[in-house]
Amino acid sequence: GQQVMQIPQYQHVQEGEDFTTYCNSSTTLSNIQWYKQRPGGHPVFLIQLVKSGEVKKQKRLTFQFGEAKKNSSLHITATQTTDVGTYFCAGPRDSNYQLIWGAGTKLIIKP
Amino acid sequence: GAVVSQHPSWVICKSGTSVKIECRSLDFQATTMFWYRQFPKQSLMLMATSNEGSKATYEQGVEKDKFLINHASLTLSTLTVTSAHPEDSSFYICSAIPPTNTEAFFGQGTRLTVV
């Protein structure tokens, strides 16, 4: 069935270092969405990418959608403690409004 | 953005009792809502799709008689965990997608602890 794989599961970084998470879909996606879940909280929508090869930026966050619309990445430059949380990618399921979720990448700032 | 409200945010119940969780879309009508379960340090697991005015669609492996879903109005879906057991303890989250959007908006989540 349709799957969205996301790696790595965890990433430990020193504050100020960069962070990247990658998503790979088994099928071509009409769009891909990124969400952030803070510890103890619920997922919050960050951004949606629709076009092949699209790149969007939100301050220190850069989102990319692959040319084939099957993979995507989120890159955070110079991480801060406020970036801590789990980042999920999600793509629409073929047949209905449901979203297929990646497993998430947890960003951990080393003390 | 759209607002989805979930209640209660946490609940502790005894084994064998039932717990009802409500999910409301406050500023839009939601013909479809989604119920997820999330174990610690794990991803979101879709349990079921709640459809207004009709039966919910359950994902494979989710017991429909244990997790009762009712979507009686365009702004309210409820999930009832029946005859709860400690292994049902988890974080349950609902979400909905407004008609003019493609992104999902989530409720605050309900942390259920069964003792």
Side-chain angles (χ1 to χ4, degrees):
Chain A
Q2 192 181 357
Q3 291 183 2
V4 173
M5 277 76 69
Q6 188 175 356
I7 58 168
Q9 188 175 3
Y10 300 93
Q11 191 166 4
H12 294 77
V13 299
Q14 298 278 6
E15 189 173 3
E17 290 182 339
D18 293 354
F19 162 88
T20 306
T21 172
Y22 301 91
C23 262
N24 209 3
S25 169
S26 59
T27 61
T28 301
L29 299 170
S30 58
N31 68 77
I32 194 156
Q33 301 171 24
W34 286 92
Y35 294 78
K36 178 183 178 181
Q37 185 177 23
R38 293 182 185 273
H42 60 280
V44 174
F45 174 78
L46 292 176
I47 208 161
Q48 176 177 276
L49 304 171
V50 178
K51 298 177 184 175
S52 168
E54 188 170 12
V55 178
K56 285 189 176 179
K57 292 193 174 185
Q58 288 180 350
K59 297 184 180 178
R60 294 177 293 104
L61 278 62
T62 302
F63 304 84
Q64 292 188 333
F65 200 11
E67 294 290 339
K69 300 182 75 173
K70 294 180 73 174
N71 54 44
S72 181
S73 65
L74 157 59
H75 180 81
I76 303 178
T77 304
T79 54
Q80 300 175 358
T81 54
T82 51
D83 296 326
V84 163
T86 302
Y87 293 84
F88 293 96
C89 61
R93 189 175 277 190
D94 292 334
S95 54
N96 54 35
Y97 287 117
Q98 292 174 8
L99 290 172
I100 305 290
W101 292 83
T105 298
K106 189 171 185 178
L107 168 57
I108 300 164
I109 303 281
K110 297 176 187 176
Chain B
V3 179
V4 175
S5 177
Q6 188 173 340
H7 176 82
S9 55
W10 60 271
V11 58
I12 301 173
C13 71
K14 291 184 178 179
S15 286
T17 61
S18 296
V19 173
K20 181 185 280 188
I21 303 169
E22 294 186 348
C23 182
R24 294 180 186 272
S25 56
L26 297 187
D27 52 1
F28 65 96
Q29 293 183 333
T31 54
T32 303
M33 290 186 177
F34 304 96
W35 287 97
Y36 293 87
R37 184 173 181 177
Q38 188 176 35
F39 291 102
K41 301 181 182 180
Q42 293 190 25
S43 186
L44 300 162
M45 185 195 82
L46 180 66
M47 298 175 66
T49 302
S50 172
N51 305 297
E52 187 269 334
S54 64
K55 291 182 181 179
T57 306
Y58 290 82
E59 294 299 299
Q60 195 170 11
V62 178
E63 298 175 60
K64 60 180 70 174
D65 294 331
K66 179 160 187 68
F67 299 101
L68 299 178
I69 290 173
N70 184 279
H71 195 150
S73 80
L74 286 170
T75 59
L76 173 64
S77 175
T78 61
L79 167 68
T80 302
V81 183
T82 63
S83 187
H85 290 282
E87 56 265 32
D88 298 325
S89 300
S90 191
F91 190 53
Y92 293 87
I93 319 177
C94 68
S95 80
I97 301 174
T100 55
N101 294 56
T102 53
E103 69 266 29
F105 292 87
F106 286 83
Q108 299 92 325
T110 298
R111 190 160 301 282
L112 169 64
T113 303
V114 184
V115 297

